[in-house]
Amino acid sequence: MVSETLKKQIDRFLLAFGFSLMFGIMILGQEFRQAVGEAVGVLMDPVLTLVGEQNFHLVLLVMAAITAIYASLIQKYTIDWELMRNTQERMKVFQKEFREAQLSQNTYMLKKLEDQRKEMMEDQMKMSKQQFKPMAYISIISLPLFMWAYYYISGHGAATMVFPFWGEQLLTTSAFGPFQHWIYWYFISSLGVSQLIRKALNIGGV
C-alpha cells in the first residue's frame, strides 16, 4: 500500500515535471523542443517505421486519440465537476438577476448581488485552481508526443494527406493562418475522440 506521503511526493514530482515541460517549450525555444522530439523519437520512430512513413497521418490520429483519452481521464478524476456545474448554473442565475436589477435600478438588490458576487468569485477561483493542475499532468504525455510530431514533420516536408474537399495537401503547408495541415488534422482528430470520451464519462469541457 502506497503511503500518503509517497503519493504527495509523486504528485509534486509529476506537477513539477509537467510544468517544467510547459515552460521549457515556451521559454527555452527551438533547441529544447528539438531535444524533446529526438528523445521521444527513440520510442516513436520504430512505430512509424512499422506503420510506414506514408501513413504518418494515421500515427497522428492514434496520438491524438491517446492524448484525448488520457486528458479526459485526468480531468475526470482531478476536477470537481459537481462544483463546476453548480457554479455555472449559479452564474447564469446571477447574471440574469443582475441585469434585471440594473434595468429596474433596484439599489437594494444590486447591493445584495454585489455581496453574492464575492462568494461566486471564490468558487471560480477554486475552479481555476482545479483546472490548472490537470494541465501539468496532461502535458507530460501530450507535449512530448506533439514535439516528436513537430520534429519529425519539420524534416519531412514532402509528407502529404488527402483531405475532404481540399484534396491532397502537403502536411507542412498552411491550413488556417499559422496552423499547418498536420496540426489541423491532429487537433480535429483529438477533438472528435475527446467529445466521445467526455460524453461516455459525463464530463464537461475545460
Side-chain angles (χ1 to χ4, degrees):
M1 193 81 178
V2 180
S3 69
E4 195 65 30
T5 302
L6 182 57
K7 285 182 180 178
K8 289 181 180 179
Q9 289 176 342
I10 293 172
D11 185 55
R12 289 195 191 100
F13 170 77
L14 292 176
L15 287 173
F17 182 62
F19 284 123
S20 295
L21 273 175
M22 291 170 60
F23 293 127
I25 285 170
M26 289 187 292
I27 297 171
L28 300 181
Q30 179 65 24
E31 290 186 4
F32 182 78
R33 291 194 288 267
Q34 182 171 329
V36 173
E38 289 176 344
V40 179
V42 174
L43 296 174
M44 293 302 299
D45 288 346
V47 174
L48 184 58
T49 300
L50 184 65
V51 175
E53 292 189 0
Q54 71 277 12
N55 295 318
F56 179 68
H57 61 284
L58 296 180
V59 176
L60 285 177
L61 174 61
V62 173
M63 283 170 47
I66 290 172
T67 300
I69 293 170
Y70 173 71
S72 298
L73 288 172
I74 289 291
Q75 291 167 351
K76 169 71 174 178
Y77 295 107
T78 58
I79 292 177
D80 186 344
W81 292 100
E82 193 64 32
L83 171 65
M84 180 170 289
R85 293 187 185 101
N86 290 339
T87 302
Q88 289 173 343
E89 286 300 319
R90 287 176 60 199
M91 180 58 74
K92 289 178 184 177
V93 173
F94 171 83
Q95 289 174 340
K96 181 181 178 182
E97 291 179 346
F98 192 78
R99 281 196 298 270
E100 291 175 352
Q102 282 183 317
L103 290 172
S104 62
Q105 296 183 343
N106 188 332
T107 54
Y108 171 76
M109 183 59 71
L110 286 171
K111 178 66 171 62
K112 185 178 177 181
L113 290 172
E114 282 297 331
D115 294 336
Q116 185 179 336
R117 188 203 294 269
K118 295 175 183 177
E119 296 178 9
M120 297 189 65
M121 288 296 291
E122 291 178 3
D123 286 342
Q124 288 186 318
M125 283 296 294
K126 290 179 183 176
M127 285 171 49
S128 298
K129 288 178 181 178
Q130 286 186 3
Q131 293 172 14
F132 194 59
K133 189 174 181 180
M135 289 172 56
Y137 292 128
I138 294 167
S139 67
I140 294 172
I141 298 293
S142 61
L143 287 182
L145 286 175
F146 193 83
M147 286 303 101
W148 170 77
Y150 171 82
Y151 170 69
Y152 176 85
I153 202 70
S154 296
H156 296 77
T160 64
M161 177 183 166
V162 178
F163 290 85
F165 306 109
W166 292 347
E168 187 173 18
Q169 300 288 336
L170 288 171
L171 291 177
T172 52
T173 55
S174 173
F176 297 103
F179 297 103
Q180 296 178 341
H181 280 94
W182 75 271
I183 298 177
Y184 170 76
W185 169 242
Y186 179 89
F187 280 111
I188 287 295
S189 302
S190 180
L191 182 63
V193 175
S194 179
Q195 290 302 311
L196 293 174
I197 298 299
R198 290 174 183 276
K199 187 71 175 177
L201 296 175
N202 190 30
I203 60 177
V206 174

